[in-house]
Structure formats: structure tokens, C-alpha cells
Amino acid sequence: MSYGTRCWGEEFLLRSRLSRIHYNDHFFDYPLKLTNALIGLGIVEAALVGLSYAKTRLAPSLPETTFEQWVSNRFGQRLYKIFFKTYTEKVWGMPCSEISAEWATQRIKNLSLMEVLRNTFGANGRSKDGQVITSLIQQFRYPRFGPGMMWEQFESLLRDRGIETIFDRRVDKIWHRQGRVECIGVRSSTGETMKLSADQFISSMPLRNLIESLDPTPPEEVLRAAAGLRYRDFITVVLIVDREHIFPDNWIYIHTTDIAMGRIQNYKSWSPDMVPDPSKTSLGLEYFVSEHDEMWSWPDQKLIELGIKECAQLGFIEPREVQNGTVVRMKKTYPIYDQAREGNVAILQNYLDGLENLQAIGRNGQHRYNNMDHSMMTGIYAARNVVGERHDVWVVNVDSEYHEEVTPDRKRTVFAGAATEQREEDLELANVLRVALARLDPVALGLAVGIVCGFGLFFATAVLLLKSGDTVGPRLMLFQHYLIGYRVTWTGALVGLIEATVVGYVIGCVCAWFHNSFVNGYIFLIRRATEAKQRRDIL
Amino acid sequence: MSNKKEHKTRADLDREVWRAVARLKAGILGLVFGSIFGIGLFAMTAILLIENGPNTGYHLRLLSNYFIGYNVTWKGAFIGFLWAFALGAMIGWSIGFIYNRIANQKRT
């Protein structure tokens, strides 16, 4: 039973997943399904997509440094332009040719053989470390009133133990000395300031702000790396629509270029209880912007009007059905994966390694595009570290083996706890696979078949020679057509022994080679199929 | 199970699966070869008997040089089945046995 189900029981609903892509008045399944995509595009476009794919497979763009190259090499340039380019550029506000391929590879990690086989042999869409392979999710658990329920529950648990949670405080200063953070300075929205001391500090604030808050100030190189981190901001326009049902999707990705909206979500599809009046629907229209964009500072009413207009343009609603609306602006929603991100984060991570009682967690804390589960995992690791365990919070969602021990030169390591059971299961699986997919040793099989053939012919000849007669072995002698120098004589028997051994050896080797090739081919095919499944869920 | 084994990484397990060399079950291989040989000879004899032409089984009966009591008759077909089964079993078992010995030897 998952932690969420244990904590919230029936408040943790089992919901179906449905997401689609809207492109040129058509809906396409998401994750992408080839047949659905090709039917939706029409015969001519489908043929062009096929040709474009074939071209890219024959001449891929190498080396793969950008998102554009990475996706084009796997889907073809044409399909990339239809299903990836417009949406990705809406999200990131920059050309795909400037987005690092690292972003794609982080989301679609290279699958290990074990993971592929586990997936193929029915591991319920879970990878080896127990994480759900996202492209395979058909259903998911969701808190009845949204994820905020989780944080309220945590706060309540702390309160029950007499631990106070302080809200509405912005961290202004972080004072450190001799490799340890000593205290932090915080400010409330009313301007009230205070200093807080602690033994351990866990930061989920944006990495750039964290570095800029440090006192004494870090070296120039570190400050430069922090200043180089870029963010994408986010506006949600929420519309209350006087209609019971609009569409069943959780999300619809809007790829159509003349619509500014990037994605639209139906809160009712996440949980019906999130909309108190069942006769109405609440839609969240998502606009990916930057703080310095003009749109960021538009009045709420103007944004709501834009939302209504675009929803109507897409055919989801009639403008008169909208009863109310509100706008939520969220800064620094996405860390931008430009070409400099990896190097900058490495510098900052290295610097923060020097502060032994400070841990950076979460999407913004690590400037990494982690999903909520990965972000929460970094928090769980950090909490365990506080009580004496040793986990590397930075390797979550980077190294697929983040639960394994790593080399001692890294300060934080090892998450064993929950992984132990999984590991035992893996060992069992590995034992089964070792037998099921074992290769034949060509030399051993060649020698075995060779020896049996050689001695077989020798004994067959010898039996006839011992029986003797007028004409000995006229039929067996026919082997001389294939085995040079073979006769049904004692000398010929020895010649036959040697030659039949050689022929048998070759036959055995070839058989082993074919067997091994089929096993390798099978593994290759299922690996390709699993990777393809994951790639469909890249948005 | 040793601690060392428990700490194998995914990459280690992957490598192990990739490197795993099959061992043959000599007994089962013998049984398979024996069955194929035995049933094969029985079927070949039976077909000739059913066709029942002149000079039935002129060549096949030469196997009597090795299989005592074998002939292209219904009785001979059963005797041939036993002989061929025994020969096939021996060949299959020998291949399995020799293969395993060599594979183990290479492994060590």
C-alpha cells in the first residue's frame, strides 16, 4: 500500500488518466499512439511523416546537443514540428534548437536491460526502482481536494507532535561560517523580520535566490553561475463555466500555433470534489510566460477575457457560459534547460557541498525539472539525512540507480530503506533472466557436437569393419563425397573421426550463433518497444 | 545470500544477465534426441510399410547392421524405435554433458 493511501485512505481517489493534444482542430491521443496520430494527420501528411522519419533514421543529426536534434532523430523532422516544436517552444519561450538535449534525456532515461525486461514481462509499468514508468500509467491516485491536502496533513501531523510550522516568511539572508549554516533571516509579508537558528537546514527556495542570500557572499564564479540560471514563469487563468461536462481529459495540450494558451486542465477530471457545484466545471488555462513579458503584468480581467476567447475559439465553451474567473501567477515554475544549465548547476552543487548542514531539495531547490514525486523524494532523503542516514539528494531522477551505494568521494550517498525489498525482487528476477536469456557458448557446443559426430562416424565405420563381408560399407562410404579421404577402412575411420569432428564443430558453433542472435534480437526488439513507449510521453 | 550480492547495482545485474552462459540439461537433451530419433525411425519404417511397394525398405533395412533385430516390418519398427531412442538419447546426453563440461571449464 502506498504512503498516500495509508495516510489518506478513501481521500486518495483512484482516477483514470486521459490527456490529448489539440492540433489544427484535431485531437490526438497523448501519449502519442502511432495509428491515432497518422489517422488524425491524414494520408498525405502521414506519408510525408513516414518519409521524413525514414530520412532522419538514415541520416540522423549528430551530435545530439539540442532538444530539436534529440526529438527529430527519434520521430522525424515532420512529426517533431507537429507534436513537439510548437508546444515545447510555448512552454520554454525559446527555440527548441537552444534547449539542451539534457532535458529530453532526463525525462526519457536510457533503459537498462532489467528495466526493459521487467516492463515486458509484466511489472505493472514499474521500473526497477519501483518508480512508475509514466507512459504506462492508465490510472493514478489523487487527493480528493488536490495535492494541497498532503501538505495540510503533514502540517497537522507536526502540530500534533508540538512542532510549529511557520508560514508567510521569505528567507532574506543565510549566514554561514566554517562550512556550516548558522542561522537565517526571514521577513513576513507585513515586513516583520526575525532570525532563526537550527542545526540542519533544508532549502527548497530557488537555487539562484539561495546562493544570492548567502552571507558571506560566495566567490564570483559561484555568483555568476547562480545568475546564469534561468526560469520560466506561469499564469493560470481559472474559469468557472456553467456546464456540467465539457471534456473528460485531465489535460489537453494546445499545439495550435495561433492560440497563446499552452495547456488546459479540467479540475473536475482530477477529482470531482474539486468543483463543489456539480453543475459547473472549473477549467485551468495555462499560459507559459516570463516575468518580464508584457503579458505577465496584464490586468486579471484582460487575461480572463483572453482565456474565454481562446476557449471559445477551440470550441470548448460559449463565452456566455463563463460565470467567473480568477488569475494565479506563479514565478519560477520551470527551471530552463538551456545549454549553460548543467555547468552552472554543477558549480553551485559543488559549492553547496561545502555547507555540511544545508541540503537543497525540490524542483527549484536543485534547478532541475523534477516531477512532484521526484521532488518529494529529495525531501524524504533530506529528512532521513537529518536523522543520520546518508542519501544523495542530487541524484534523484538523474541516476536511475539512486538507491544504490555510490563511491565514497561523494559526501551524500545511499538510500537503502525502501529499496531493499525491491533489490531482493531484482535479484530474483535477475536469476530467472539469467536462465531464460542465457546465451549458448559456441565453442562448447561446437566441440560437443563435433566430438559426438566424430566418434559417431568412427564407431559406425568400426562396426562394419568388425562385421566384415564381401563388400564392406558401400553406403557408408558415400560420405567420401563430403569427407575427403574417408573410406570404410581403419585409416578411413580415423580420417572420418577428424573430419566429422570439424564439421560437427562448425555445425555446433553456427547453431549457438543463431540461438544467441535470436535472444539478442528479442532483447533488442523489446528494448526498442519500451523506449518508444516512453518517448511518447515526453511533453 | 552474501552482503556483497545484495549490493549489486542494476548495472551489475544487467551485465550478469548479458554474460550468462546457458547450461544444457543433459538428461532432457537425451530424452529429446531419443524421442526424435525413435519416433523418426518408427515413422519412416511405418510409411514404407504402408506404401508396401516392391523391395520395401531396401535401404532402411541396412540399419540392421547397427540395430540388432531391426527390419522393415511392424515388429522391426518397434525394435527400431527402441534402438534409435537409445542412440538418440546417448547422442543428446553426450552433447549436453560435453557442452557443460567445456562451458564450466571455460568459466573457471
Side-chain angles (χ1 to χ4, degrees):
Chain A
M1 188 185 285
S2 74
Y3 180 77
T5 315
R6 273 204 315 273
C7 272
W8 294 287
E10 289 180 4
E11 297 297 293
F12 219 45
L13 308 177
L14 183 63
R15 304 292 300 160
S16 296
R17 171 187 173 168
L18 176 63
S19 298
R20 285 180 296 170
I21 289 170
H22 182 276
Y23 174 74
N24 277 0
D25 299 328
H26 280 88
F27 286 100
F28 296 87
D29 289 341
Y30 181 73
L32 290 172
K33 290 179 185 146
L34 187 65
T35 319
N36 171 270
L38 295 180
I39 289 171
L41 292 171
I43 295 171
V44 177
E45 186 62 42
L48 292 173
V49 163
L51 287 172
S52 163
Y53 176 75
K55 185 186 162 201
T56 337
R57 296 305 296 178
L58 288 171
S61 168
L62 296 171
E64 281 176 353
T65 53
T66 68
F67 177 80
E68 180 175 343
Q69 288 172 307
W70 196 96
V71 178
S72 297
N73 284 348
R74 282 155 186 81
F75 291 90
Q77 184 75 8
R78 206 164 180 98
L79 211 56
Y80 151 75
K81 280 185 178 159
I82 295 170
F83 287 120
F84 298 96
K85 183 176 163 56
T86 52
Y87 180 76
T88 309
E89 290 184 351
K90 271 188 198 179
V91 173
W92 299 103
M94 59 198 283
C96 288
S97 55
E98 287 177 25
I99 300 171
S100 168
E102 186 201 355
W103 181 71
T105 52
Q106 186 194 308
R107 289 187 74 94
I108 311 294
K109 288 187 281 285
N110 286 327
L111 296 173
S112 73
L113 174 64
M114 293 288 288
E115 213 162 322
V116 170
L117 295 170
R118 174 181 287 276
N119 184 8
T120 304
F121 296 139
N124 299 324
R126 279 180 183 276
S127 66
K128 232 177 76 69
D129 47 17
Q131 295 172 64
V132 176
I133 296 175
T134 50
S135 60
L136 307 179
I137 295 173
Q138 300 299 326
Q139 289 186 312
F140 58 91
R141 295 270 175 191
Y142 196 78
R144 187 180 295 279
F145 297 107
M149 277 182 79
M150 296 192 285
W151 319 127
E152 286 165 6
Q153 171 88 354
F154 292 145
E155 192 271 335
S156 155
L157 286 170
L158 290 172
R159 197 172 350 104
D160 291 347
R161 295 178 189 195
I163 302 166
E164 185 193 3
T165 307
I166 303 172
F167 295 103
D168 186 32
R169 295 290 190 284
R170 173 183 293 274
V171 177
D172 281 341
K173 273 281 182 243
I174 300 170
W175 286 280
H176 62 102
R177 195 159 63 95
Q178 293 177 339
R180 285 184 67 82
V181 174
E182 293 189 319
C183 64
I184 58 173
V186 299
R187 179 188 301 273
S188 73
S189 55
T190 56
E192 179 194 347
T193 59
M194 62 192 292
K195 272 189 176 183
L196 296 169
S197 302
D199 292 329
Q200 295 286 336
F201 294 85
I202 298 172
S203 162
S204 62
M205 65 196 282
L207 192 51
R208 187 166 75 191
N209 297 16
L210 170 72
I211 296 294
E212 288 169 355
S213 306
L214 288 168
D215 190 349
T217 310
E220 187 56 36
E221 182 204 20
V222 175
L223 288 174
R224 223 179 8 254
L229 300 181
R230 295 167 63 200
Y231 296 88
R232 190 72 169 151
D233 310 298
F234 183 79
I235 296 174
T236 305
V237 176
V238 182
L239 300 181
I240 309 296
V241 185
D242 187 20
R243 202 197 296 183
E244 188 177 349
H245 179 78
I246 297 178
F247 54 78
D249 308 55
N250 306 104
W251 269 315
I252 294 177
Y253 296 83
I254 312 296
H255 288 216
T256 309
T257 43
D258 56 349
I259 302 280
M261 183 197 312
R263 197 168 57 175
I264 178 166
Q265 56 175 313
N266 183 352
Y267 297 114
K268 221 174 181 178
S269 297
W270 293 102
S271 162
D273 295 279
M274 298 227 292
V275 180
D277 181 347
S279 69
K280 302 197 175 6
T281 298
S282 173
L283 298 179
L285 322 181
E286 302 178 350
Y287 293 90
F288 305 99
V289 293
S290 295
E291 232 182 306
H292 53 260
D293 288 348
E294 191 194 337
M295 192 175 178
W296 181 260
S297 45
W298 279 8
D300 288 1
Q301 193 52 41
K302 189 173 174 183
L303 286 166
I304 291 168
E305 279 164 14
L306 174 71
I308 294 170
K309 185 183 135 230
E310 293 198 331
C311 270
Q313 198 177 330
L314 290 166
F316 294 140
I317 59 166
E318 293 291 333
R320 58 180 166 74
E321 292 179 300
V322 178
Q323 294 194 325
N324 209 342
T326 188
V327 174
V328 179
R329 291 174 180 79
M330 180 62 68
K331 289 182 187 173
K332 296 187 173 63
T333 316
Y334 297 115
I336 289 183
Y337 272 60
D338 56 18
Q339 303 287 340
R341 189 210 76 97
E342 195 177 4
N344 287 335
V345 171
I347 291 169
L348 301 178
Q349 187 182 338
N350 189 43
Y351 177 75
L352 291 175
D353 275 354
L355 298 172
E356 61 178 35
N357 62 340
L358 173 66
Q359 300 181 76
I361 63 163
R363 179 183 281 190
N364 265 336
Q366 298 186 340
H367 201 76
R368 177 172 292 146
Y369 190 55
N370 285 333
N371 290 326
M372 188 189 281
D373 53 346
H374 287 124
S375 298
M376 286 171 72
M377 187 55 84
T378 60
I380 291 169
Y381 284 8
R384 289 175 186 228
N385 287 342
V386 169
V387 293
E389 293 182 15
R390 295 174 65 234
H391 310 289
D392 191 344
V393 295
W394 287 93
V395 296
V396 174
N397 200 25
V398 172
D399 181 354
S400 53
E401 294 182 39
Y402 61 80
H403 60 274
E404 307 286 2
E405 281 201 50
V406 293
T407 50
D409 61 321
R410 292 201 35 92
K411 165 179 111 175
R412 300 166 291 246
T413 47
V414 193
F415 169 52
T420 308
E421 199 179 314
Q422 190 67 37
R423 190 180 292 154
E424 281 169 11
E425 198 184 305
D426 294 341
L427 284 167
E428 281 173 28
L429 177 65
N431 287 334
V432 173
L433 293 176
R434 261 196 293 271
V435 176
L437 300 175
R439 282 30 164 217
L440 287 170
D441 184 324
V443 174
L445 191 65
L447 284 173
V449 175
I451 290 168
V452 169
C453 286
F455 280 96
L457 183 59
F458 180 84
F459 285 125
T461 313
V463 166
L464 294 183
L465 288 171
L466 291 173
K467 279 186 160 183
S468 72
D470 294 339
T471 48
V472 181
R475 270 86 192 175
L476 202 60
M477 206 174 300
L478 294 173
F479 268 118
Q480 66 186 326
H481 289 296
Y482 307 103
L483 305 175
I484 299 158
Y486 173 73
R487 298 280 185 282
V488 184
T489 60
W490 286 109
T491 316
L494 290 173
V495 172
L497 168 71
I498 294 165
E499 291 191 23
T501 302
V502 173
V503 171
Y505 176 81
V506 173
I507 291 171
C509 283
V510 170
C511 286
W513 182 83
F514 272 114
H515 172 273
N516 295 346
S517 299
F518 283 127
V519 171
N520 291 342
Y522 175 68
I523 292 172
F524 174 77
L525 287 177
I526 58 175
R527 181 190 285 273
R528 284 286 299 274
T530 311
E531 286 175 350
K533 272 184 197 166
Q534 289 217 341
R535 282 200 298 268
R536 286 187 288 134
D537 202 13
I538 194 176
L539 290 178
Chain B
M1 194 179 289
S2 70
N3 283 338
K4 192 180 172 189
K5 198 167 186 182
E6 283 175 6
H7 283 89
K8 276 175 182 164
T9 64
R10 175 182 300 175
D12 291 335
L13 292 175
D14 250 23
R15 267 193 296 277
E16 279 184 16
V17 173
W18 274 112
R19 288 176 184 168
V21 173
R23 297 293 184 276
L24 300 176
K25 303 272 185 219
I28 291 173
L29 203 62
L31 210 62
V32 170
F33 270 63
S35 302
I36 291 171
F37 277 47
I39 294 169
L41 182 56
F42 181 87
M44 285 194 292
T45 311
I47 286 166
L48 293 181
L49 288 170
I50 291 164
E51 281 182 346
N52 196 23
N55 246 344
T56 302
Y58 175 74
H59 289 101
L60 203 59
R61 86 163 64 106
L62 293 172
L63 282 175
S64 62
N65 281 316
Y66 304 103
F67 299 161
I68 297 162
Y70 173 73
N71 214 331
V72 186
T73 60
W74 285 110
K75 186 185 165 197
F78 284 102
I79 294 172
F81 170 80
L82 295 175
W83 272 112
F85 183 90
L87 177 70
M90 208 169 69
I91 289 173
W93 181 86
S94 301
I95 289 175
F97 177 78
I98 296 168
Y99 171 88
N100 288 342
R101 290 297 290 264
I102 296 170
N104 289 338
Q105 197 72 34
K106 283 178 74 181
R107 195 78 173 161
T108 52

